[in-house]
């Protein structure tokens, strides 16, 4: 990866007072959706390049905002169900409309986003305000015509998939067959058909007969990008299980188990907590899987189960701080990870509004910061460096002065171009390559 001057932020967007809880590009990268803790979904649309402002391409403006989920109360269990959007997934576009799935802890909803720029005029039985005319005044027959109007974006709920999960939904994934999707909670994974809301098929169930025997939970899951029968799910014990739905209706027996043997010399009280996988993503090619645990990101080859082929240290300097991170609950933060379009660079978040990029070809890495100071249009991001004792350079930041309340948990990478979206608490930052070229 070249120095960080390859990236520049076109703009900073204040999404809302609420904290952003998920970020997702659609399959073309023209639309970007964010969900927040207030149950709102905000969709941004990429502006087309204009002759007057040739550098404006890549800038995203608000396209539509809607309330996806409301707070609910489960009277049977006396539990509040918060409205926070846990995940958003776009469906491949089939026609002029766009569709996306959004979920909170319990309910998944399918939304349809359409545009309207014409309206019918000249009704026979209605006046301009839509009220019925007195039939005795209708003396001639006219053909209604479509007249241009200001563009209106309409968002409507098409399906509501409820009552499928006892525990909190942590991930949803749309299948490559474009007909089904799966949703995962702590102990079960369900398969849904997009057209059927009243039933789903349970494909993974790791709930023990006695809950006291519970040793691990499901943390994330995803369908293979090309093979509709394959999916992977990760666990709090740091393992990945690849399952084939052709083998059995209930995929309790995995096809492959990806697990790295633990180094006994590194064993500590925190070992199991920091080995929990918080995110798993298939590469675009389908050959590799990317996982994130508390301190590292790992790349796994589907053909090699024994160990990851690449391991990158995200913030190894925190290893000595695990005790205080445990006390303030930061050790349980769930960071996401992302591939670039060619699977050659990976990205993940860290603390102090830092995010990390690792070039798989050159093995170079960089730490960048999403902050208000760097958010001026076309400002250049400077690499940041965290130092642990010893000599400090002028721009270095000490590990003791890191702000653990500023964390980048949610990131997304444009499917084809070097444009990234970074959610830093209640701000959405969009950065793009300064020179439209590959990042290496």
């Amino acid at each position: 990866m070249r120095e960080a001057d390859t990236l520049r932020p076109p703009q900073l967007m204040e999404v809302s007072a609420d904290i952003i809880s998920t970020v997702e590009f659609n399959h073309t990268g023209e639309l970007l959706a964010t969900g927040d803790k207030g149950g709102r979904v905000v969709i941004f649309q990429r502006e087309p390049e204009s002759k007057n402002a040739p550098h404006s391409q890549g800038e995203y403006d608000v396209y539509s905002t809607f309330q996806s989920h409301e707070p609910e109360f489960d009277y049977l269990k006396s539990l509040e169900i918060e409205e926070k959007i846990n995940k958003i997934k776009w469906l491949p576009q089939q026609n002029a409309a766009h569709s996306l799935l959004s979920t909170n802890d319990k309910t998944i909803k399918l939304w349809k986003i359409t545009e309207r720029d014409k309206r019918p005029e000249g009704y026979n039985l209605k006046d301009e305000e839509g009220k019925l005319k007195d039939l005795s005044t209708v003396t001639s027959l006219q053909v209604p015509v479509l007249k241009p109007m200001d563009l209106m974006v309409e968002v409507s709920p098409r399906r509501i998939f409820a009552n499928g999960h006892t525990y909190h939904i942590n991930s949803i994934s749309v299948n490559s067959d474009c007909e089904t999707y799966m949703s995962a909670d702590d102990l079960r994974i369900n398969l849904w058909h997009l057209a059927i809301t009243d039933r789903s098929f349970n494909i993974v169930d790791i709930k023990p007969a006695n809950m006291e025997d519970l040793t691990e939970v499901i943390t994330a899951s995803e369908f293979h990008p090309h093979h509709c029968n394959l999916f992977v799910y990760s666990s709090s014990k740091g393992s990945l299980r690849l399952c084939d739905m052709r083998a059995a209706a209930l995929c309790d027996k995995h096809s492959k188990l990806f697990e790295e043997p633990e180094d006994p010399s590194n064993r500590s009280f925190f070992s199991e907590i920091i080995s929990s996988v918080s995110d798993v993503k298939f590469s675009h090619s389908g050959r590799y899987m990317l996982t994130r645990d508390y301190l590292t990101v790992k790349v796994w080859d589907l053909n090699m189960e024994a160990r990851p082929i690449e391991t990158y240290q995200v913030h190894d300097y925190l290893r000595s701080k695990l005790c205080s991170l445990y006390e303030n609950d930061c050790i349980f933060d769930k960071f996401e990870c992302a591939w670039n379009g060619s699977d050659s660079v990976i990205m993940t978040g860290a603390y102090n509004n830092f995010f990390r990029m690792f070039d798989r070809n050159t093995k170079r890495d960089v730490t960048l910061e999403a902050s208000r100071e760097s958010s001026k249009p076309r400002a250049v991001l400077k690499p940041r460096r965290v130092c642990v004792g010893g000599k400090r350079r002028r721009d270095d930041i000490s590990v003791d002065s890191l702000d653990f309340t500023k964390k980048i948990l949610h990131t997304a990478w444009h499917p084809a171009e070097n444009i990234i979206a970074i959610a830093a608490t209640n701000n959405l930052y969009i950065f793009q390559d300064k020179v439209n070229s590959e990042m290496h």
Side-chain angles (χ1 to χ4, degrees):
M1 191 184 298
R2 278 202 308 270
E3 292 303 319
D5 63 2
T6 55
L7 289 176
R8 61 177 169 81
Q11 70 235 89
L12 160 75
M13 297 165 191
E14 287 280 344
V15 178
S16 73
D18 287 333
I19 293 169
I20 299 171
S21 52
T22 185
V23 186
E24 190 81 11
F25 280 102
N26 75 339
H27 293 77
T28 63
E30 294 303 302
L31 297 177
L32 170 67
T34 66
D36 64 27
K37 284 196 168 182
R40 283 184 297 274
V41 172
V42 181
I43 301 173
F44 299 91
Q45 184 181 46
R46 191 178 186 189
E47 290 299 303
E49 186 173 2
S50 67
K51 291 178 182 177
N52 300 331
H55 299 293
S56 68
Q57 188 178 21
E59 297 196 0
Y60 285 77
D61 288 330
V62 175
Y63 179 64
S64 179
T65 304
F66 62 95
Q67 189 72 30
S68 172
H69 287 71
E70 301 279 0
E72 296 176 57
F73 191 81
D74 187 331
Y75 293 98
L76 290 175
K77 296 178 180 173
S78 294
L79 282 175
E80 284 186 23
I81 302 167
E82 63 176 349
E83 64 272 35
K84 174 190 157 195
I85 307 296
N86 291 343
K87 292 290 175 190
I88 290 172
K89 291 292 175 187
W90 291 91
L91 272 62
Q93 193 173 0
Q94 309 284 350
N95 48 41
H98 296 276
S99 299
L100 63 79
L101 290 167
S102 64
T103 183
N104 66 351
D105 285 340
K106 298 289 182 185
T107 306
I108 305 154
K109 296 183 180 182
L110 173 63
W111 298 90
K112 183 180 179 183
I113 302 108
T114 53
E115 290 184 355
R116 193 149 59 95
D117 59 359
K118 292 183 176 66
R119 68 167 182 266
E121 283 185 7
Y123 285 107
N124 288 290
L125 303 179
K126 293 180 185 174
D127 60 20
E128 291 177 3
E129 295 177 1
K131 294 177 183 176
L132 285 172
K133 293 180 181 176
D134 182 356
L135 295 181
S136 61
T137 62
V138 179
T139 56
S140 62
L141 205 60
Q142 58 183 354
V143 178
V145 293
L146 290 173
K147 292 283 182 71
M149 60 177 272
D150 290 339
L151 179 68
M152 181 185 286
V153 179
E154 296 178 332
V155 181
S156 55
R158 305 294 291 173
R159 310 261 193 284
I160 296 177
F161 305 88
N163 306 318
H165 288 275
T166 307
Y167 307 97
H168 292 178
I169 299 170
N170 55 44
S171 52
I172 51 177
S173 179
V174 180
N175 201 345
S176 59
D177 64 10
C178 301
E179 289 186 352
T180 56
Y181 76 94
M182 69 176 174
S183 55
D185 65 25
D186 295 336
L187 297 178
R188 298 189 180 101
I189 300 177
N190 292 339
L191 180 69
W192 301 80
H193 193 284
L194 284 162
I196 302 170
T197 60
D198 59 354
R199 65 182 180 273
S200 62
F201 298 95
N202 181 227
I203 52 176
V204 172
D205 188 348
I206 65 167
K207 184 183 178 185
N210 183 355
M211 283 296 275
E212 290 179 4
D213 299 331
L214 184 68
T215 58
E216 63 181 333
V217 294
I218 298 166
T219 55
S221 65
E222 188 173 61
F223 269 119
H224 191 280
H226 310 304
H227 301 298
C228 61
N229 53 290
L230 295 178
F231 68 93
V232 68
Y233 69 91
S234 58
S235 88
S236 56
K237 277 195 166 178
S239 61
L240 301 170
R241 290 175 174 85
L242 186 71
C243 301
D244 189 339
M245 291 192 292
R246 295 173 301 184
L250 190 63
C251 301
D252 283 353
K253 290 182 180 160
H254 49 265
S255 302
K256 289 190 175 187
L257 174 66
F258 299 83
E259 200 166 30
E260 187 174 22
E262 188 184 21
D263 183 355
S265 63
N266 285 338
R267 180 77 190 161
S268 74
F269 171 76
F270 306 108
S271 295
E272 191 167 315
I273 300 173
I274 63 173
S275 67
S276 175
V277 175
S278 55
D279 195 19
V280 58
K281 296 273 171 64
F282 277 107
S283 63
H284 296 85
S285 66
R287 170 73 186 270
Y288 304 104
M289 294 181 295
L290 178 64
T291 62
R292 171 70 203 261
D293 57 40
Y294 191 64
L295 295 178
T296 66
V297 279
K298 296 171 182 171
V299 178
W300 300 79
D301 189 320
L302 258 64
N303 299 326
M304 192 170 89
E305 300 159 63
R307 67 185 66 84
I309 57 170
E310 297 160 30
T311 300
Y312 301 96
Q313 299 295 333
V314 177
H315 39 209
D316 200 47
Y317 46 78
L318 294 183
R319 203 173 283 277
S320 61
K321 304 275 181 192
L322 292 178
C323 194
S324 58
L325 291 165
Y326 178 76
E327 287 171 359
N328 63 16
D329 281 349
C330 284
I331 201 168
F332 301 106
D333 286 335
K334 293 175 170 55
F335 292 94
E336 295 174 6
C337 50
W339 297 91
N340 74 336
S342 61
D343 300 333
S344 61
V345 184
I346 54 184
M347 171 177 65
T348 191
Y351 293 107
N352 211 69
N353 277 1
F354 288 169
F355 59 98
R356 304 270 281 135
M357 288 182 162
F358 303 92
D359 191 308
R360 299 179 60 209
N361 298 326
T362 64
K363 302 303 178 190
R364 293 178 65 182
D365 65 271
V366 69
T367 301
L368 301 168
E369 183 181 7
S371 66
R372 288 185 170 276
E373 290 71 38
S374 63
S375 64
K376 292 165 186 165
R378 274 163 275 288
V380 171
L381 286 184
K382 294 185 176 67
R384 301 305 305 266
R385 187 169 168 268
V386 178
C387 78
V388 187
K391 290 183 180 178
R392 280 180 63 184
R393 296 183 201 162
R394 189 165 61 89
D395 291 333
D396 284 0
I397 182 165
S398 165
V399 67
D400 295 316
S401 57
L402 292 173
D403 188 343
F404 293 105
T405 62
K406 294 178 178 176
K407 56 191 88 170
I408 291 176
L409 303 176
H410 313 289
T411 59
W413 202 311
H414 189 288
E417 298 179 38
N418 285 327
I419 298 174
I420 56 174
I422 306 285
T425 55
N426 60 340
N427 292 322
L428 175 67
Y429 295 84
I430 296 178
F431 301 103
Q432 75 174 33
D433 201 339
K434 184 180 177 186
V435 288
N436 264 333
S437 61
E438 281 297 312
M439 294 187 56
H440 48 221

